[in-house]
Amino acid sequence: MTSTQFHRISKVLADPRRYKILRKIASCDEAACSVLHSRFPISAATLSHHLKELSNAGLIDTRKEGKFMHIKVRRKVWKAYLDELSKL
Amino acid sequence: MTSTQFHRISKVLADPRRYKILRKIASCDEAACSVLHSRFPISAATLSHHLKELSNAGLIDTRKEGKFMHIKVRRKVWKAYLDELSKL
DNA sequence: ACATCATTTAGATGGTTGTCAAATTATCGT
DNA sequence: ACGATAATTTGACAACCATCTAAATGATGT
Protein backbone atom coordinates (compact mmCIF):
# COMPACT_ATOMS: atom_id res chain seq x y z
CA MET A 1 0.00 0.00 0.00
CA THR A 2 1.45 3.32 -1.04
CA SER A 3 1.57 6.34 1.22
CA THR A 4 -0.75 8.12 -1.20
CA GLN A 5 -3.36 5.39 -1.03
CA PHE A 6 -3.01 5.20 2.74
CA HIS A 7 -3.80 8.90 3.13
CA ARG A 8 -6.62 8.71 0.58
CA ILE A 9 -8.25 6.03 2.67
CA SER A 10 -7.74 8.01 5.88
CA LYS A 11 -9.39 11.06 4.32
CA VAL A 12 -12.31 9.03 3.05
CA LEU A 13 -12.93 7.64 6.54
CA ALA A 14 -13.12 11.13 8.03
CA ASP A 15 -16.75 11.64 7.04
CA PRO A 16 -19.10 9.78 9.43
CA ARG A 17 -21.83 9.32 6.84
CA ARG A 18 -19.43 7.96 4.26
CA TYR A 19 -18.09 5.53 6.84
CA LYS A 20 -21.64 4.36 7.51
CA ILE A 21 -22.11 3.83 3.78
CA LEU A 22 -18.93 1.75 3.72
CA ARG A 23 -20.16 -0.31 6.67
CA LYS A 24 -23.46 -0.89 4.91
CA ILE A 25 -21.68 -2.11 1.81
CA ALA A 26 -19.46 -4.34 3.96
CA SER A 27 -22.46 -5.85 5.74
CA CYS A 28 -23.46 -7.84 2.67
CA ASP A 29 -21.57 -9.56 -0.10
CA GLU A 30 -22.57 -6.99 -2.67
CA ALA A 31 -24.68 -3.86 -2.35
CA ALA A 32 -26.90 -2.26 -4.98
CA CYS A 33 -26.67 1.49 -5.41
CA SER A 34 -30.45 1.86 -5.33
CA VAL A 35 -30.64 -0.03 -2.04
CA LEU A 36 -28.03 2.24 -0.51
CA HIS A 37 -29.97 5.24 -1.71
CA SER A 38 -33.12 3.98 -0.03
CA ARG A 39 -31.22 3.52 3.23
CA PHE A 40 -29.50 6.92 3.46
CA PRO A 41 -31.26 10.32 3.72
CA ILE A 42 -29.13 12.01 1.10
CA SER A 43 -29.61 12.88 -2.56
CA ALA A 44 -28.56 10.49 -5.32
CA ALA A 45 -25.89 13.00 -6.32
CA THR A 46 -24.37 13.00 -2.84
CA LEU A 47 -24.42 9.21 -2.66
CA SER A 48 -22.73 9.09 -6.06
CA HIS A 49 -20.12 11.54 -4.80
CA HIS A 50 -19.34 9.40 -1.76
CA LEU A 51 -19.16 6.20 -3.79
CA LYS A 52 -16.72 7.90 -6.13
CA GLU A 53 -14.53 8.93 -3.19
CA LEU A 54 -14.56 5.36 -1.85
CA SER A 55 -13.73 4.01 -5.27
CA ASN A 56 -10.91 6.51 -5.83
CA ALA A 57 -9.43 5.45 -2.51
CA GLY A 58 -9.49 1.87 -3.77
CA LEU A 59 -11.77 0.66 -1.00
CA ILE A 60 -14.59 -0.58 -3.22
CA ASP A 61 -15.10 -2.32 -6.53
CA THR A 62 -18.07 -1.40 -8.70
CA ARG A 63 -19.70 -3.26 -11.56
CA LYS A 64 -22.58 -2.24 -13.75
CA GLU A 65 -25.44 -4.55 -14.69
CA GLY A 66 -27.65 -2.72 -17.16
CA LYS A 67 -28.76 0.44 -15.39
CA PHE A 68 -27.87 -0.93 -11.97
CA MET A 69 -24.61 -0.48 -10.08
CA HIS A 70 -23.31 -3.12 -7.67
CA ILE A 71 -20.64 -2.43 -5.10
CA LYS A 72 -18.41 -4.54 -2.90
CA VAL A 73 -15.64 -3.81 -0.41
CA ARG A 74 -12.08 -4.67 -1.39
CA ARG A 75 -11.21 -6.71 1.66
CA LYS A 76 -7.52 -7.01 0.84
CA VAL A 77 -7.10 -3.26 0.64
CA TRP A 78 -8.96 -2.84 3.90
CA LYS A 79 -6.70 -5.38 5.61
CA ALA A 80 -3.59 -3.70 4.23
CA TYR A 81 -4.83 -0.38 5.57
CA LEU A 82 -5.36 -1.83 9.06
CA ASP A 83 -1.93 -3.48 8.94
CA GLU A 84 -0.38 -0.12 8.13
CA LEU A 85 -2.21 1.59 11.01
CA SER A 86 -1.11 -1.09 13.44
CA LYS A 87 2.50 -0.17 12.78
CA LEU A 88 2.07 3.03 14.82
CA MET B 1 -15.01 3.56 22.55
CA THR B 2 -17.94 5.79 21.72
CA SER B 3 -19.07 6.52 18.20
CA THR B 4 -18.20 10.17 18.79
CA GLN B 5 -14.65 9.39 19.81
CA PHE B 6 -14.29 6.95 16.92
CA HIS B 7 -15.21 9.63 14.38
CA ARG B 8 -13.05 12.23 16.11
CA ILE B 9 -10.07 9.95 15.70
CA SER B 10 -10.93 9.24 12.07
CA LYS B 11 -11.11 12.96 11.33
CA VAL B 12 -7.83 13.61 13.06
CA LEU B 13 -6.11 10.97 10.96
CA ALA B 14 -7.31 12.57 7.74
CA ASP B 15 -4.50 15.13 7.68
CA PRO B 16 -1.23 13.60 6.45
CA ARG B 17 0.97 16.00 8.39
CA ARG B 18 -0.92 15.45 11.62
CA TYR B 19 -0.58 11.70 11.12
CA LYS B 20 3.17 12.13 10.69
CA ILE B 21 3.24 14.10 13.93
CA LEU B 22 1.40 11.26 15.64
CA ARG B 23 3.87 8.73 14.25
CA LYS B 24 6.76 10.82 15.50
CA ILE B 25 5.26 10.93 18.98
CA ALA B 26 4.65 7.19 18.84
CA SER B 27 8.24 6.47 17.81
CA CYS B 28 9.55 7.31 21.26
CA ASP B 29 8.23 6.87 24.76
CA GLU B 30 7.56 10.53 25.23
CA ALA B 31 8.03 13.46 22.89
CA ALA B 32 8.82 17.06 23.75
CA CYS B 33 6.86 19.78 22.02
CA SER B 34 10.02 21.70 21.20
CA VAL B 35 11.58 18.64 19.59
CA LEU B 36 8.51 18.12 17.43
CA HIS B 37 8.69 21.76 16.42
CA SER B 38 12.28 21.37 15.32
CA ARG B 39 11.33 18.35 13.22
CA PHE B 40 8.30 19.77 11.34
CA PRO B 41 8.36 22.73 8.93
CA ILE B 42 5.30 24.42 10.44
CA SER B 43 4.77 27.30 12.85
CA ALA B 44 4.52 26.75 16.60
CA ALA B 45 0.90 27.84 16.38
CA THR B 46 0.08 25.18 13.78
CA LEU B 47 1.85 22.48 15.79
CA SER B 48 -0.10 23.56 18.85
CA HIS B 49 -3.30 23.35 16.84
CA HIS B 50 -2.55 19.80 15.69
CA LEU B 51 -1.59 18.66 19.19
CA LYS B 52 -4.84 20.06 20.47
CA GLU B 53 -6.77 18.10 17.84
CA LEU B 54 -4.94 14.90 18.79
CA SER B 55 -5.60 15.54 22.45
CA ASN B 56 -9.28 16.30 21.91
CA ALA B 57 -9.58 13.01 20.05
CA GLY B 58 -8.11 11.29 23.06
CA LEU B 59 -5.11 9.93 21.19
CA ILE B 60 -2.43 11.62 23.25
CA ASP B 61 -1.69 12.54 26.84
CA THR B 62 0.14 15.76 27.62
CA ARG B 63 1.98 16.85 30.75
CA LYS B 64 3.71 20.10 31.51
CA GLU B 65 7.13 20.34 33.15
CA GLY B 66 7.85 24.00 33.78
CA LYS B 67 7.65 25.69 30.40
CA PHE B 68 8.03 22.40 28.54
CA MET B 69 5.27 20.18 27.23
CA HIS B 70 5.68 16.38 26.97
CA ILE B 71 3.44 14.18 24.92
CA LYS B 72 2.76 10.46 24.66
CA VAL B 73 0.39 8.28 22.67
CA ARG B 74 -2.50 6.63 24.50
CA ARG B 75 -1.87 3.11 23.30
CA LYS B 76 -5.09 1.68 24.69
CA VAL B 77 -7.19 4.20 22.79
CA TRP B 78 -5.24 3.46 19.63
CA LYS B 79 -5.80 -0.27 20.03
CA ALA B 80 -9.52 0.26 20.67
CA TYR B 81 -9.72 2.32 17.51
CA LEU B 82 -8.07 -0.42 15.44
CA ASP B 83 -10.35 -3.03 17.00
CA GLU B 84 -13.34 -0.98 15.96
CA LEU B 85 -12.10 -0.61 12.40
CA SER B 86 -11.47 -4.33 12.14
CA LYS B 87 -15.17 -4.96 12.68
CA LEU B 88 -15.95 -3.74 9.17
C1' DA C 1 10.02 44.02 38.06
C1' DC C 2 11.52 42.79 33.80
C1' DA C 3 13.26 40.15 29.79
C1' DT C 4 13.30 35.81 27.66
C1' DC C 5 11.42 31.50 26.34
C1' DA C 6 7.86 27.92 25.32
C1' DT C 7 3.40 27.44 24.22
C1' DT C 8 -1.36 28.87 23.31
C1' DT C 9 -5.01 31.76 21.50
C1' DA C 10 -7.23 34.99 18.25
C1' DG C 11 -8.29 36.38 13.85
C1' DA C 12 -7.50 36.28 8.94
C1' DT C 13 -6.84 33.73 4.68
C1' DG C 14 -7.17 30.49 1.02
C1' DG C 15 -8.26 25.92 -0.02
C1' DT C 16 -11.24 21.82 0.74
C1' DT C 17 -15.50 19.38 1.29
C1' DG C 18 -20.46 17.70 1.67
C1' DT C 19 -24.66 19.02 0.17
C1' DC C 20 -28.15 20.32 -3.22
C1' DA C 21 -30.88 21.08 -7.78
C1' DA C 22 -30.54 20.71 -12.43
C1' DA C 23 -28.69 18.76 -16.37
C1' DT C 24 -26.70 14.91 -18.56
C1' DT C 25 -25.74 10.12 -19.77
C1' DA C 26 -26.71 5.30 -20.38
C1' DT C 27 -30.05 1.55 -20.16
C1' DC C 28 -34.51 -0.47 -20.61
C1' DG C 29 -39.35 -1.14 -22.09
C1' DT C 30 -42.80 0.07 -25.32
C1' DA D 1 -38.05 7.02 -31.52
C1' DC D 2 -39.51 8.04 -27.19
C1' DG D 3 -40.42 8.12 -22.20
C1' DA D 4 -39.03 6.38 -17.83
C1' DT D 5 -35.43 4.99 -14.78
C1' DA D 6 -30.82 4.65 -12.48
C1' DA D 7 -26.81 6.87 -11.87
C1' DT D 8 -23.36 10.55 -12.79
C1' DT D 9 -21.74 15.16 -13.59
C1' DT D 10 -21.88 20.13 -13.13
C1' DG D 11 -21.92 24.29 -10.72
C1' DA D 12 -23.21 26.78 -6.65
C1' DC D 13 -23.19 27.31 -1.78
C1' DA D 14 -22.15 27.15 3.06
C1' DA D 15 -19.35 25.16 6.34
C1' DC D 16 -15.01 23.37 7.58
C1' DC D 17 -10.00 23.30 8.05
C1' DA D 18 -4.74 23.99 7.97
C1' DT D 19 -1.89 27.61 7.78
C1' DC D 20 0.00 32.00 9.10
C1' DT D 21 1.16 36.34 12.02
C1' DA D 22 0.52 38.80 16.05
C1' DA D 23 -0.78 38.96 20.61
C1' DA D 24 -1.36 36.77 24.91
C1' DT D 25 -0.22 33.61 28.70
C1' DG D 26 2.58 31.26 32.03
C1' DA D 27 7.22 29.70 33.60
C1' DT D 28 11.98 30.82 34.33
C1' DG D 29 16.19 33.46 35.32
C1' DT D 30 18.26 37.73 36.70
Side-chain angles (χ1 to χ4, degrees), chain B residues 61-72:
Chain B
D61 269 323
T62 62
R63 79 174 173 84
K64 210 117 164 177
E65 187 177 306
K67 301 190 285 188
F68 297 94
M69 175 71 78
H70 299 279
I71 306 128
K72 68 189 335 178

Side-chain angles (χ1 to χ4, degrees), chain B residues 11 15 17-18 42-43 45-46 49-50 66-67:
Chain B
K11 260 173 118 68
D15 187 71
R17 180 168 272 155
R18 191 155 55 223
I42 55 179
S43 77
T46 301
H49 159 77
H50 284 310
K67 301 190 285 188

